[in-house]
């Protein structure tokens, strides 16, 4: 088993060796807001308030909250500063497991992950993977109603947190 410090050192070495340009322009990379299959909603609240509201919206829907990962703190541990960024994992196992039954590799995207991120201009956004994109990615054609329901619930949660 490889020790955590060794893995971190290996990751840092590979990352630093990849390109000098990547290191020279972290702010430019951070500004890239587009990504294939990602839905984004701008929050009318600041970062901390949006995160609190997201957790409350998840609870209000009766959806299971799993955890939150503070990506900014992880970056700080590696001495790689990034802006505020927290990934929140939640889901409805009776719904989500149906996607896993259709394709076990859908577990790479389940439970649902919703990102709360503060952009360089101070705006706060919620983002998650579009469920139609997931269906296509995993070749799941038998769960259209379930994907529609998951899309509606995620959009509702994000809207409640953002408004």
């Amino acid at each position: 088993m490889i020790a955590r410090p060794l893995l971190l050192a290996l990751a840092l070495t590979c990352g630093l060796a990849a390109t000098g340009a990547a290191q020279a322009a972290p702010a430019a990379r951070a500004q890239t807001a587009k990504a294939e299959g990602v839905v984004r909603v701008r929050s009318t609240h600041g970062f901390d308030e949006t995160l609190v509201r997201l957790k409350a919206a998840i609870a209000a829907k009766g959806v299971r909250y799993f955890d939150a990962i503070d990506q900014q703190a992880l970056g700080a541990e590696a001495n790689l500063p990034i802006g505020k960024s927290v990934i929140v994992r939640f889901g409805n196992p009776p719904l989500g497991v149906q996607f896993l039954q259709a394709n076990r590799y859908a577990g790479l995207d389940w439970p649902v992950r919703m990102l709360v991120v503060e952009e360089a201009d101070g705006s706060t956004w919620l983002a998650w993977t579009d469920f139609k994109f997931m269906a296509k990615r995993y070749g799941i054609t038998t769960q259209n109603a379930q994907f529609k329901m998951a899309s509606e619930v995620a959009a509702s949660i994000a809207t409640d947190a953002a408004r």
Side-chain angles (χ1 to χ4, degrees), residues 25-46:
R29 284 195 335 267
Q31 294 294 47
T32 304
K34 289 189 175 188
E36 185 178 357
V38 174
V39 179
R40 296 178 52 214
V41 172
R42 186 175 183 156
S43 179
T44 59
H45 307 285

Side-chain angles (χ1 to χ4, degrees), residues 39-46 49-54 56-57 124-126 128 155-163:
V39 179
R40 296 178 52 214
V41 172
R42 186 175 183 156
S43 179
T44 59
H45 307 285
E49 179 68 16
T50 300
L51 189 56
V52 167
R53 293 176 62 86
L54 175 58
T124 300
W125 293 81
L126 294 112
W128 65 98
S156 177
I157 287 171
T159 298
D160 290 351
R163 305 286 182 260

Side-chain angles (χ1 to χ4, degrees), residues 59-144:
K61 294 280 188 244
V63 175
R64 184 172 174 180
Y65 170 84
F66 292 103
D67 63 7
I69 300 168
D70 184 335
Q71 296 174 326
Q72 184 181 42
L74 293 174
E77 287 176 19
N79 200 26
L80 298 168
I82 61 170
K84 291 182 179 181
S85 178
V86 172
I87 193 90
V88 175
R89 297 188 306 179
F90 62 91
N92 176 349
L95 178 62
V97 170
Q98 292 179 54
F99 302 120
L100 302 178
Q101 288 175 323
N103 182 337
R104 295 288 306 272
Y105 291 96
L108 290 167
D109 285 305
W110 290 94
V112 176
R113 293 155 181 85
M114 194 168 286
L115 179 69
V116 179
V117 64
E118 184 179 79
E119 295 289 354
D121 66 1
S123 64
T124 300
W125 293 81
L126 294 112
W128 65 98
T129 303
D130 179 68
F131 292 93
K132 289 180 184 176
F133 180 84
M134 278 192 243
K136 182 178 177 185
R137 177 180 186 185
Y138 297 110
I140 301 173
T141 60
T142 58
Q143 305 291 332
N144 293 335

